[in-house]
Amino acid sequence: MSEQMTLTPRQRQDLRTIAAMIIPASEEYRVPAADDDIIQADILATLGRDTRLVAAALDHLARLAGMPLAELAPDARDGVAQQFRKHGGVPAATLVRVVMQCYYRDDRVLRSLGLELRAPFPKGHVLPDGDWSLLDPVKARAGTLRRAP
């Protein structure tokens, strides 16, 4: 089994920088930017199979900038980001998806959107542990065998 890849400290700093560019903070809606510590921790904890593509995207950003993106002057970052957006391909799309996915599952963001912080079912109706009676109609049906494709 191969060791799971992780981002380098430079890549983590660039991830934080580009995340804040993708989704900046909003005072109006009282939500943090995507570089927020909690959101960044979620991104790093859940990268999983996307780690290689995100690392490739961050390396591409650094090459376009000629240095780590976080070290580039803020006014020069937009031009690099535009180039990256045009030519970043799948790694760029993966990076944006990962940032947005973690951002939009943050409780503060969900609250600002007027969404509840719990699953929509059972809408407050608590089911006792081990109560599988909801499955009785399914269990009562005859088994169905189907040919696999």
mmCIF file of all heavy atoms in Angstrom, residues 85-136:
data_model
loop_
_atom_site.group_PDB
_atom_site.id
_atom_site.type_symbol
_atom_site.label_atom_id
_atom_site.label_comp_id
_atom_site.label_asym_id
_atom_site.label_seq_id
_atom_site.Cartn_x
_atom_site.Cartn_y
_atom_site.Cartn_z
ATOM 1 N N ARG A 85 -6.707 30.057 -14.674
ATOM 2 C CA ARG A 85 -8.090 29.696 -15.017
ATOM 3 C C ARG A 85 -8.215 29.260 -16.471
ATOM 4 O O ARG A 85 -8.935 28.325 -16.798
ATOM 5 C CB ARG A 85 -8.987 30.892 -14.733
ATOM 6 C CG ARG A 85 -10.432 30.575 -14.731
ATOM 7 C CD ARG A 85 -11.206 31.742 -14.189
ATOM 8 N NE ARG A 85 -12.419 31.857 -14.954
ATOM 9 C CZ ARG A 85 -13.076 32.968 -15.154
ATOM 10 N NH1 ARG A 85 -12.632 34.085 -14.662
ATOM 11 N NH2 ARG A 85 -14.179 32.977 -15.844
ATOM 12 N N LYS A 86 -7.508 29.951 -17.359
ATOM 13 C CA LYS A 86 -7.571 29.627 -18.784
ATOM 14 C C LYS A 86 -6.856 28.334 -19.135
ATOM 15 O O LYS A 86 -7.287 27.595 -20.011
ATOM 16 C CB LYS A 86 -6.950 30.756 -19.607
ATOM 17 C CG LYS A 86 -7.760 32.013 -19.656
ATOM 18 C CD LYS A 86 -7.038 33.061 -20.486
ATOM 19 C CE LYS A 86 -7.755 34.387 -20.410
ATOM 20 N NZ LYS A 86 -7.004 35.458 -21.080
ATOM 21 N N HIS A 87 -5.728 28.075 -18.468
ATOM 22 C CA HIS A 87 -4.868 26.970 -18.895
ATOM 23 C C HIS A 87 -4.637 25.906 -17.825
ATOM 24 O O HIS A 87 -3.811 25.025 -18.023
ATOM 25 C CB HIS A 87 -3.509 27.524 -19.342
ATOM 26 C CG HIS A 87 -3.621 28.594 -20.377
ATOM 27 N ND1 HIS A 87 -4.057 28.334 -21.662
ATOM 28 C CD2 HIS A 87 -3.398 29.933 -20.318
ATOM 29 C CE1 HIS A 87 -4.070 29.460 -22.354
ATOM 30 N NE2 HIS A 87 -3.684 30.462 -21.556
ATOM 31 N N GLY A 88 -5.378 25.968 -16.721
ATOM 32 C CA GLY A 88 -5.142 25.037 -15.617
ATOM 33 C C GLY A 88 -5.712 23.649 -15.819
ATOM 34 O O GLY A 88 -5.298 22.699 -15.173
ATOM 35 N N GLY A 89 -6.683 23.507 -16.711
ATOM 36 C CA GLY A 89 -7.265 22.197 -17.009
ATOM 37 C C GLY A 89 -7.928 21.529 -15.822
ATOM 38 O O GLY A 89 -8.482 22.175 -14.934
ATOM 39 N N VAL A 90 -7.847 20.212 -15.816
ATOM 40 C CA VAL A 90 -8.495 19.400 -14.777
ATOM 41 C C VAL A 90 -7.961 19.721 -13.381
ATOM 42 O O VAL A 90 -8.749 19.825 -12.436
ATOM 43 C CB VAL A 90 -8.366 17.893 -15.104
ATOM 44 C CG1 VAL A 90 -8.852 17.034 -13.955
ATOM 45 C CG2 VAL A 90 -9.125 17.571 -16.384
ATOM 46 N N PRO A 91 -6.637 19.896 -13.203
ATOM 47 C CA PRO A 91 -6.181 20.243 -11.854
ATOM 48 C C PRO A 91 -6.805 21.541 -11.330
ATOM 49 O O PRO A 91 -7.180 21.621 -10.162
ATOM 50 C CB PRO A 91 -4.661 20.380 -12.015
ATOM 51 C CG PRO A 91 -4.327 19.473 -13.159
ATOM 52 C CD PRO A 91 -5.496 19.630 -14.095
ATOM 53 N N ALA A 92 -6.955 22.539 -12.186
ATOM 54 C CA ALA A 92 -7.564 23.805 -11.759
ATOM 55 C C ALA A 92 -9.019 23.583 -11.372
ATOM 56 O O ALA A 92 -9.480 24.104 -10.345
ATOM 57 C CB ALA A 92 -7.464 24.843 -12.871
ATOM 58 N N ALA A 93 -9.739 22.836 -12.173
ATOM 59 C CA ALA A 93 -11.143 22.558 -11.873
ATOM 60 C C ALA A 93 -11.275 21.783 -10.569
ATOM 61 O O ALA A 93 -12.187 22.045 -9.774
ATOM 62 C CB ALA A 93 -11.784 21.787 -13.023
ATOM 63 N N THR A 94 -10.369 20.856 -10.326
ATOM 64 C CA THR A 94 -10.397 20.070 -9.092
ATOM 65 C C THR A 94 -10.132 20.964 -7.890
ATOM 66 O O THR A 94 -10.811 20.857 -6.871
ATOM 67 C CB THR A 94 -9.365 18.927 -9.155
ATOM 68 O OG1 THR A 94 -9.672 18.103 -10.271
ATOM 69 C CG2 THR A 94 -9.375 18.094 -7.887
ATOM 70 N N LEU A 95 -9.159 21.847 -8.012
ATOM 71 C CA LEU A 95 -8.848 22.775 -6.921
ATOM 72 C C LEU A 95 -10.059 23.637 -6.571
ATOM 73 O O LEU A 95 -10.437 23.748 -5.402
ATOM 74 C CB LEU A 95 -7.661 23.661 -7.308
ATOM 75 C CG LEU A 95 -7.320 24.790 -6.342
ATOM 76 C CD1 LEU A 95 -6.913 24.243 -4.986
ATOM 77 C CD2 LEU A 95 -6.213 25.653 -6.922
ATOM 78 N N VAL A 96 -10.704 24.196 -7.561
ATOM 79 C CA VAL A 96 -11.883 25.042 -7.323
ATOM 80 C C VAL A 96 -13.006 24.222 -6.702
ATOM 81 O O VAL A 96 -13.660 24.656 -5.747
ATOM 82 C CB VAL A 96 -12.343 25.728 -8.627
ATOM 83 C CG1 VAL A 96 -13.682 26.419 -8.442
ATOM 84 C CG2 VAL A 96 -11.285 26.715 -9.111
ATOM 85 N N ARG A 97 -13.229 23.011 -7.204
ATOM 86 C CA ARG A 97 -14.298 22.155 -6.652
ATOM 87 C C ARG A 97 -14.047 21.833 -5.187
ATOM 88 O O ARG A 97 -14.954 21.916 -4.352
ATOM 89 C CB ARG A 97 -14.414 20.857 -7.442
ATOM 90 C CG ARG A 97 -15.483 19.916 -6.871
ATOM 91 C CD ARG A 97 -15.531 18.585 -7.586
ATOM 92 N NE ARG A 97 -14.285 17.914 -7.772
ATOM 93 C CZ ARG A 97 -13.647 17.205 -6.827
ATOM 94 N NH1 ARG A 97 -14.151 17.126 -5.603
ATOM 95 N NH2 ARG A 97 -12.517 16.596 -7.096
ATOM 96 N N VAL A 98 -12.801 21.489 -4.860
ATOM 97 C CA VAL A 98 -12.466 21.139 -3.477
ATOM 98 C C VAL A 98 -12.700 22.327 -2.542
ATOM 99 O O VAL A 98 -13.281 22.178 -1.468
ATOM 100 C CB VAL A 98 -11.004 20.637 -3.405
ATOM 101 C CG1 VAL A 98 -10.479 20.632 -1.992
ATOM 102 C CG2 VAL A 98 -10.887 19.254 -4.027
ATOM 103 N N VAL A 99 -12.266 23.504 -2.954
ATOM 104 C CA VAL A 99 -12.455 24.702 -2.127
ATOM 105 C C VAL A 99 -13.941 24.985 -1.936
ATOM 106 O O VAL A 99 -14.406 25.192 -0.808
ATOM 107 C CB VAL A 99 -11.733 25.922 -2.749
ATOM 108 C CG1 VAL A 99 -12.155 27.217 -2.062
ATOM 109 C CG2 VAL A 99 -10.218 25.742 -2.684
ATOM 110 N N MET A 100 -14.704 24.958 -3.017
ATOM 111 C CA MET A 100 -16.131 25.270 -2.925
ATOM 112 C C MET A 100 -16.894 24.221 -2.123
ATOM 113 O O MET A 100 -17.797 24.542 -1.347
ATOM 114 C CB MET A 100 -16.715 25.433 -4.316
ATOM 115 C CG MET A 100 -16.149 26.668 -5.011
ATOM 116 S SD MET A 100 -16.846 26.953 -6.613
ATOM 117 C CE MET A 100 -18.423 27.625 -6.146
ATOM 118 N N GLN A 101 -16.536 22.965 -2.313
ATOM 119 C CA GLN A 101 -17.210 21.875 -1.599
ATOM 120 C C GLN A 101 -17.063 22.056 -0.088
ATOM 121 O O GLN A 101 -18.043 21.955 0.650
ATOM 122 C CB GLN A 101 -16.591 20.558 -2.057
ATOM 123 C CG GLN A 101 -16.977 19.333 -1.303
ATOM 124 C CD GLN A 101 -16.233 18.130 -1.848
ATOM 125 O OE1 GLN A 101 -16.223 17.889 -3.043
ATOM 126 N NE2 GLN A 101 -15.572 17.394 -0.980
ATOM 127 N N CYS A 102 -15.858 22.335 0.366
ATOM 128 C CA CYS A 102 -15.638 22.498 1.803
ATOM 129 C C CYS A 102 -16.226 23.803 2.315
ATOM 130 O O CYS A 102 -16.747 23.861 3.428
ATOM 131 C CB CYS A 102 -14.145 22.415 2.120
ATOM 132 S SG CYS A 102 -13.490 20.750 1.853
ATOM 133 N N TYR A 103 -16.179 24.830 1.517
ATOM 134 C CA TYR A 103 -16.731 26.127 1.922
ATOM 135 C C TYR A 103 -18.241 26.019 2.135
ATOM 136 O O TYR A 103 -18.763 26.462 3.154
ATOM 137 C CB TYR A 103 -16.427 27.189 0.871
ATOM 138 C CG TYR A 103 -16.895 28.561 1.272
ATOM 139 C CD1 TYR A 103 -16.148 29.329 2.151
ATOM 140 C CD2 TYR A 103 -18.094 29.079 0.794
ATOM 141 C CE1 TYR A 103 -16.575 30.588 2.538
ATOM 142 C CE2 TYR A 103 -18.528 30.339 1.183
ATOM 143 C CZ TYR A 103 -17.767 31.085 2.052
ATOM 144 O OH TYR A 103 -18.193 32.320 2.445
ATOM 145 N N TYR A 104 -18.929 25.432 1.187
ATOM 146 C CA TYR A 104 -20.389 25.400 1.255
ATOM 147 C C TYR A 104 -20.949 24.322 2.167
ATOM 148 O O TYR A 104 -22.165 24.152 2.248
ATOM 149 C CB TYR A 104 -20.994 25.324 -0.145
ATOM 150 C CG TYR A 104 -20.916 26.657 -0.831
ATOM 151 C CD1 TYR A 104 -19.988 26.891 -1.829
ATOM 152 C CD2 TYR A 104 -21.739 27.706 -0.442
ATOM 153 C CE1 TYR A 104 -19.888 28.134 -2.440
ATOM 154 C CE2 TYR A 104 -21.652 28.951 -1.040
ATOM 155 C CZ TYR A 104 -20.729 29.160 -2.038
ATOM 156 O OH TYR A 104 -20.631 30.387 -2.623
ATOM 157 N N ARG A 105 -20.099 23.618 2.893
ATOM 158 C CA ARG A 105 -20.628 22.740 3.928
ATOM 159 C C ARG A 105 -20.270 23.263 5.324
ATOM 160 O O ARG A 105 -20.573 22.629 6.323
ATOM 161 C CB ARG A 105 -20.172 21.305 3.718
ATOM 162 C CG ARG A 105 -18.728 21.033 3.950
ATOM 163 C CD ARG A 105 -18.473 19.540 3.767
ATOM 164 N NE ARG A 105 -17.063 19.248 3.730
ATOM 165 C CZ ARG A 105 -16.515 18.350 2.955
ATOM 166 N NH1 ARG A 105 -17.272 17.652 2.130
ATOM 167 N NH2 ARG A 105 -15.231 18.122 2.991
ATOM 168 N N ASP A 106 -19.642 24.425 5.388
ATOM 169 C CA ASP A 106 -19.332 25.067 6.660
ATOM 170 C C ASP A 106 -20.638 25.579 7.288
ATOM 171 O O ASP A 106 -21.487 26.164 6.595
ATOM 172 C CB ASP A 106 -18.358 26.228 6.420
ATOM 173 C CG ASP A 106 -17.961 26.897 7.710
ATOM 174 O OD1 ASP A 106 -17.038 26.383 8.383
ATOM 175 O OD2 ASP A 106 -18.583 27.922 8.062
ATOM 176 N N ASP A 107 -20.804 25.370 8.583
ATOM 177 C CA ASP A 107 -22.037 25.759 9.268
ATOM 178 C C ASP A 107 -22.357 27.244 9.119
ATOM 179 O O ASP A 107 -23.514 27.621 8.943
ATOM 180 C CB ASP A 107 -21.962 25.415 10.757
ATOM 181 C CG ASP A 107 -22.009 23.928 11.027
ATOM 182 O OD1 ASP A 107 -22.278 23.163 10.077
ATOM 183 O OD2 ASP A 107 -21.782 23.522 12.186
ATOM 184 N N ARG A 108 -21.341 28.091 9.188
ATOM 185 C CA ARG A 108 -21.583 29.533 9.084
ATOM 186 C C ARG A 108 -22.121 29.899 7.707
ATOM 187 O O ARG A 108 -22.999 30.754 7.579
ATOM 188 C CB ARG A 108 -20.280 30.292 9.356
ATOM 189 C CG ARG A 108 -19.775 30.077 10.791
ATOM 190 C CD ARG A 108 -18.334 30.454 10.925
ATOM 191 N NE ARG A 108 -17.514 29.525 10.147
ATOM 192 C CZ ARG A 108 -16.197 29.627 10.016
ATOM 193 N NH1 ARG A 108 -15.548 30.633 10.582
ATOM 194 N NH2 ARG A 108 -15.515 28.744 9.320
ATOM 195 N N VAL A 109 -21.623 29.234 6.696
ATOM 196 C CA VAL A 109 -22.075 29.499 5.331
ATOM 197 C C VAL A 109 -23.495 28.961 5.142
ATOM 198 O O VAL A 109 -24.343 29.634 4.562
ATOM 199 C CB VAL A 109 -21.096 28.897 4.303
ATOM 200 C CG1 VAL A 109 -21.610 29.065 2.890
ATOM 201 C CG2 VAL A 109 -19.710 29.523 4.462
ATOM 202 N N LEU A 110 -23.751 27.767 5.652
ATOM 203 C CA LEU A 110 -25.101 27.196 5.554
ATOM 204 C C LEU A 110 -26.129 28.094 6.236
ATOM 205 O O LEU A 110 -27.210 28.341 5.693
ATOM 206 C CB LEU A 110 -25.132 25.795 6.159
ATOM 207 C CG LEU A 110 -24.392 24.715 5.377
ATOM 208 C CD1 LEU A 110 -24.371 23.407 6.158
ATOM 209 C CD2 LEU A 110 -25.015 24.517 4.011
ATOM 210 N N ARG A 111 -25.778 28.618 7.425
ATOM 211 C CA ARG A 111 -26.695 29.520 8.130
ATOM 212 C C ARG A 111 -26.954 30.777 7.302
ATOM 213 O O ARG A 111 -28.087 31.251 7.236
ATOM 214 C CB ARG A 111 -26.118 29.910 9.481
ATOM 215 C CG ARG A 111 -26.503 28.987 10.591
ATOM 216 C CD ARG A 111 -26.108 29.557 11.947
ATOM 217 N NE ARG A 111 -25.600 28.480 12.765
ATOM 218 C CZ ARG A 111 -24.329 28.185 12.965
ATOM 219 N NH1 ARG A 111 -23.374 28.907 12.448
ATOM 220 N NH2 ARG A 111 -23.989 27.179 13.709
ATOM 221 N N SER A 112 -25.901 31.308 6.672
ATOM 222 C CA SER A 112 -26.084 32.542 5.891
ATOM 223 C C SER A 112 -26.989 32.314 4.686
ATOM 224 O O SER A 112 -27.617 33.239 4.198
ATOM 225 C CB SER A 112 -24.728 33.090 5.436
ATOM 226 O OG SER A 112 -24.233 32.368 4.331
ATOM 227 N N LEU A 113 -27.068 31.079 4.223
ATOM 228 C CA LEU A 113 -27.930 30.727 3.099
ATOM 229 C C LEU A 113 -29.342 30.346 3.543
ATOM 230 O O LEU A 113 -30.194 30.025 2.726
ATOM 231 C CB LEU A 113 -27.317 29.561 2.304
ATOM 232 C CG LEU A 113 -25.985 29.856 1.618
ATOM 233 C CD1 LEU A 113 -25.376 28.581 1.074
ATOM 234 C CD2 LEU A 113 -26.167 30.883 0.521
ATOM 235 N N GLY A 114 -29.555 30.351 4.857
ATOM 236 C CA GLY A 114 -30.876 30.024 5.391
ATOM 237 C C GLY A 114 -31.146 28.536 5.439
ATOM 238 O O GLY A 114 -32.305 28.123 5.523
ATOM 239 N N LEU A 115 -30.095 27.733 5.405
ATOM 240 C CA LEU A 115 -30.269 26.282 5.438
ATOM 241 C C LEU A 115 -30.127 25.761 6.858
ATOM 242 O O LEU A 115 -29.400 26.311 7.676
ATOM 243 C CB LEU A 115 -29.236 25.610 4.531
ATOM 244 C CG LEU A 115 -29.333 25.994 3.051
ATOM 245 C CD1 LEU A 115 -28.177 25.391 2.268
ATOM 246 C CD2 LEU A 115 -30.656 25.535 2.471
ATOM 247 N N GLU A 116 -30.825 24.670 7.133
ATOM 248 C CA GLU A 116 -30.759 24.049 8.450
ATOM 249 C C GLU A 116 -29.463 23.259 8.560
ATOM 250 O O GLU A 116 -28.960 22.716 7.582
ATOM 251 C CB GLU A 116 -31.952 23.125 8.659
ATOM 252 C CG GLU A 116 -33.275 23.859 8.657
ATOM 253 C CD GLU A 116 -34.444 22.936 8.902
ATOM 254 O OE1 GLU A 116 -34.282 21.973 9.672
ATOM 255 O OE2 GLU A 116 -35.495 23.174 8.321
ATOM 256 N N LEU A 117 -28.961 23.149 9.783
ATOM 257 C CA LEU A 117 -27.701 22.454 10.019
ATOM 258 C C LEU A 117 -27.902 20.980 10.351
ATOM 259 O O LEU A 117 -27.113 20.386 11.058
ATOM 260 C CB LEU A 117 -26.937 23.141 11.155
ATOM 261 C CG LEU A 117 -26.618 24.609 10.918
ATOM 262 C CD1 LEU A 117 -25.846 25.176 12.090
ATOM 263 C CD2 LEU A 117 -25.858 24.790 9.630
ATOM 264 N N ARG A 118 -28.972 20.411 9.834
ATOM 265 C CA ARG A 118 -29.229 18.981 10.042
ATOM 266 C C ARG A 118 -29.879 18.416 8.793
ATOM 267 O O ARG A 118 -30.342 19.151 7.927
ATOM 268 C CB ARG A 118 -30.123 18.754 11.256
ATOM 269 C CG ARG A 118 -31.478 19.399 11.128
ATOM 270 C CD ARG A 118 -32.271 19.186 12.406
ATOM 271 N NE ARG A 118 -33.422 20.024 12.459
ATOM 272 C CZ ARG A 118 -34.608 19.716 11.935
ATOM 273 N NH1 ARG A 118 -34.768 18.576 11.318
ATOM 274 N NH2 ARG A 118 -35.615 20.540 12.035
ATOM 275 N N ALA A 119 -29.908 17.149 8.751
ATOM 276 C CA ALA A 119 -30.525 16.488 7.605
ATOM 277 C C ALA A 119 -32.009 16.842 7.539
ATOM 278 O O ALA A 119 -32.663 16.983 8.571
ATOM 279 C CB ALA A 119 -30.358 14.981 7.734
ATOM 280 N N PRO A 120 -32.559 16.994 6.333
ATOM 281 C CA PRO A 120 -33.969 17.367 6.207
ATOM 282 C C PRO A 120 -34.923 16.285 6.692
ATOM 283 O O PRO A 120 -36.065 16.567 6.997
ATOM 284 C CB PRO A 120 -34.142 17.615 4.709
ATOM 285 C CG PRO A 120 -33.014 16.922 4.057
ATOM 286 C CD PRO A 120 -31.899 16.879 5.053
ATOM 287 N N PHE A 121 -34.490 15.035 6.754
ATOM 288 C CA PHE A 121 -35.325 13.956 7.269
ATOM 289 C C PHE A 121 -34.680 13.478 8.552
ATOM 290 O O PHE A 121 -33.466 13.377 8.596
ATOM 291 C CB PHE A 121 -35.422 12.798 6.275
ATOM 292 C CG PHE A 121 -36.249 11.653 6.778
ATOM 293 C CD1 PHE A 121 -37.618 11.690 6.684
ATOM 294 C CD2 PHE A 121 -35.662 10.560 7.375
ATOM 295 C CE1 PHE A 121 -38.387 10.640 7.157
ATOM 296 C CE2 PHE A 121 -36.411 9.512 7.856
ATOM 297 C CZ PHE A 121 -37.785 9.558 7.733
ATOM 298 N N PRO A 122 -35.356 13.209 9.600
ATOM 299 C CA PRO A 122 -36.792 13.097 9.778
ATOM 300 C C PRO A 122 -37.471 14.359 10.298
ATOM 301 O O PRO A 122 -38.522 14.272 10.910
ATOM 302 C CB PRO A 122 -36.921 11.968 10.776
ATOM 303 C CG PRO A 122 -35.696 12.081 11.613
ATOM 304 C CD PRO A 122 -34.626 12.591 10.696
ATOM 305 N N LYS A 123 -36.931 15.556 10.066
ATOM 306 C CA LYS A 123 -37.554 16.829 10.444
ATOM 307 C C LYS A 123 -37.960 16.866 11.916
ATOM 308 O O LYS A 123 -39.079 17.212 12.266
ATOM 309 C CB LYS A 123 -38.777 17.122 9.571
ATOM 310 C CG LYS A 123 -38.439 17.629 8.212
ATOM 311 C CD LYS A 123 -38.002 19.058 8.300
ATOM 312 C CE LYS A 123 -37.891 19.630 6.902
ATOM 313 N NZ LYS A 123 -37.256 20.913 6.901
ATOM 314 N N GLY A 124 -37.033 16.490 12.766
ATOM 315 C CA GLY A 124 -37.287 16.571 14.197
ATOM 316 C C GLY A 124 -37.926 15.340 14.794
ATOM 317 O O GLY A 124 -38.034 15.222 15.999
ATOM 318 N N HIS A 125 -38.370 14.424 13.975
ATOM 319 C CA HIS A 125 -38.949 13.188 14.485
ATOM 320 C C HIS A 125 -37.810 12.210 14.737
ATOM 321 O O HIS A 125 -37.208 11.691 13.814
ATOM 322 C CB HIS A 125 -39.951 12.592 13.484
ATOM 323 C CG HIS A 125 -41.053 13.542 13.136
ATOM 324 N ND1 HIS A 125 -42.083 13.822 14.010
ATOM 325 C CD2 HIS A 125 -41.265 14.295 12.030
ATOM 326 C CE1 HIS A 125 -42.908 14.694 13.455
ATOM 327 N NE2 HIS A 125 -42.430 15.007 12.245
ATOM 328 N N VAL A 126 -37.508 12.002 15.983
ATOM 329 C CA VAL A 126 -36.382 11.159 16.348
ATOM 330 C C VAL A 126 -36.808 9.695 16.278
ATOM 331 O O VAL A 126 -37.843 9.306 16.824
ATOM 332 C CB VAL A 126 -35.880 11.500 17.769
ATOM 333 C CG1 VAL A 126 -34.739 10.590 18.163
ATOM 334 C CG2 VAL A 126 -35.462 12.960 17.826
ATOM 335 N N LEU A 127 -36.011 8.908 15.588
ATOM 336 C CA LEU A 127 -36.272 7.477 15.497
ATOM 337 C C LEU A 127 -35.413 6.765 16.530
ATOM 338 O O LEU A 127 -34.222 7.021 16.615
ATOM 339 C CB LEU A 127 -35.914 6.957 14.103
ATOM 340 C CG LEU A 127 -36.691 7.585 12.947
ATOM 341 C CD1 LEU A 127 -36.191 7.039 11.618
ATOM 342 C CD2 LEU A 127 -38.169 7.319 13.100
ATOM 343 N N PRO A 128 -36.004 5.893 17.311
ATOM 344 C CA PRO A 128 -35.216 5.162 18.317
ATOM 345 C C PRO A 128 -34.148 4.300 17.640
ATOM 346 O O PRO A 128 -34.377 3.749 16.554
ATOM 347 C CB PRO A 128 -36.250 4.285 19.026
ATOM 348 C CG PRO A 128 -37.583 4.811 18.629
ATOM 349 C CD PRO A 128 -37.409 5.532 17.334
ATOM 350 N N ASP A 129 -32.984 4.206 18.276
ATOM 351 C CA ASP A 129 -31.932 3.349 17.747
ATOM 352 C C ASP A 129 -32.429 1.915 17.654
ATOM 353 O O ASP A 129 -33.101 1.414 18.561
ATOM 354 C CB ASP A 129 -30.692 3.394 18.650
ATOM 355 C CG ASP A 129 -29.930 4.698 18.509
ATOM 356 O OD1 ASP A 129 -30.049 5.340 17.443
ATOM 357 O OD2 ASP A 129 -29.209 5.071 19.446
ATOM 358 N N GLY A 130 -32.119 1.260 16.571
ATOM 359 C CA GLY A 130 -32.502 -0.135 16.380
ATOM 360 C C GLY A 130 -33.922 -0.327 15.899
ATOM 361 O O GLY A 130 -34.361 -1.460 15.712
ATOM 362 N N ASP A 131 -34.672 0.734 15.697
ATOM 363 C CA ASP A 131 -36.042 0.618 15.203
ATOM 364 C C ASP A 131 -36.006 0.582 13.678
ATOM 365 O O ASP A 131 -35.874 1.605 13.021
ATOM 366 C CB ASP A 131 -36.896 1.794 15.682
ATOM 367 C CG ASP A 131 -38.337 1.712 15.171
ATOM 368 O OD1 ASP A 131 -38.692 0.695 14.534
ATOM 369 O OD2 ASP A 131 -39.092 2.660 15.404
ATOM 370 N N TRP A 132 -36.126 -0.601 13.138
ATOM 371 C CA TRP A 132 -36.062 -0.795 11.686
ATOM 372 C C TRP A 132 -37.439 -1.021 11.086
ATOM 373 O O TRP A 132 -37.577 -1.507 9.978
ATOM 374 C CB TRP A 132 -35.138 -1.980 11.363
ATOM 375 C CG TRP A 132 -33.743 -1.718 11.815
ATOM 376 C CD1 TRP A 132 -33.140 -2.165 12.949
ATOM 377 C CD2 TRP A 132 -32.779 -0.905 11.152
ATOM 378 N NE1 TRP A 132 -31.871 -1.695 13.050
ATOM 379 C CE2 TRP A 132 -31.617 -0.916 11.938
ATOM 380 C CE3 TRP A 132 -32.783 -0.148 9.970
ATOM 381 C CZ2 TRP A 132 -30.468 -0.222 11.597
ATOM 382 C CZ3 TRP A 132 -31.639 0.535 9.629
ATOM 383 C CH2 TRP A 132 -30.497 0.501 10.431
ATOM 384 N N SER A 133 -38.482 -0.621 11.821
ATOM 385 C CA SER A 133 -39.848 -0.888 11.373
ATOM 386 C C SER A 133 -40.177 -0.176 10.058
ATOM 387 O O SER A 133 -41.057 -0.626 9.316
ATOM 388 C CB SER A 133 -40.860 -0.486 12.450
ATOM 389 O OG SER A 133 -40.756 0.895 12.716
ATOM 390 N N LEU A 134 -39.475 0.892 9.746
ATOM 391 C CA LEU A 134 -39.704 1.570 8.471
ATOM 392 C C LEU A 134 -39.373 0.660 7.287
ATOM 393 O O LEU A 134 -39.880 0.863 6.185
ATOM 394 C CB LEU A 134 -38.860 2.845 8.370
ATOM 395 C CG LEU A 134 -39.302 4.012 9.245
ATOM 396 C CD1 LEU A 134 -38.299 5.148 9.138
ATOM 397 C CD2 LEU A 134 -40.673 4.493 8.839
ATOM 398 N N LEU A 135 -38.533 -0.347 7.519
ATOM 399 C CA LEU A 135 -38.148 -1.256 6.438
ATOM 400 C C LEU A 135 -39.088 -2.449 6.294
ATOM 401 O O LEU A 135 -38.920 -3.249 5.367
ATOM 402 C CB LEU A 135 -36.718 -1.759 6.652
ATOM 403 C CG LEU A 135 -35.628 -0.696 6.533
ATOM 404 C CD1 LEU A 135 -34.272 -1.313 6.845
ATOM 405 C CD2 LEU A 135 -35.622 -0.079 5.155
ATOM 406 N N ASP A 136 -40.078 -2.595 7.171
ATOM 407 C CA ASP A 136 -40.991 -3.731 7.103
ATOM 408 C C ASP A 136 -41.650 -3.888 5.735
ATOM 409 O O ASP A 136 -41.699 -5.004 5.189
ATOM 410 C CB ASP A 136 -42.050 -3.664 8.210
ATOM 411 C CG ASP A 136 -41.455 -3.945 9.586
ATOM 412 O OD1 ASP A 136 -40.315 -4.492 9.637
ATOM 413 O OD2 ASP A 136 -42.100 -3.606 10.590
#
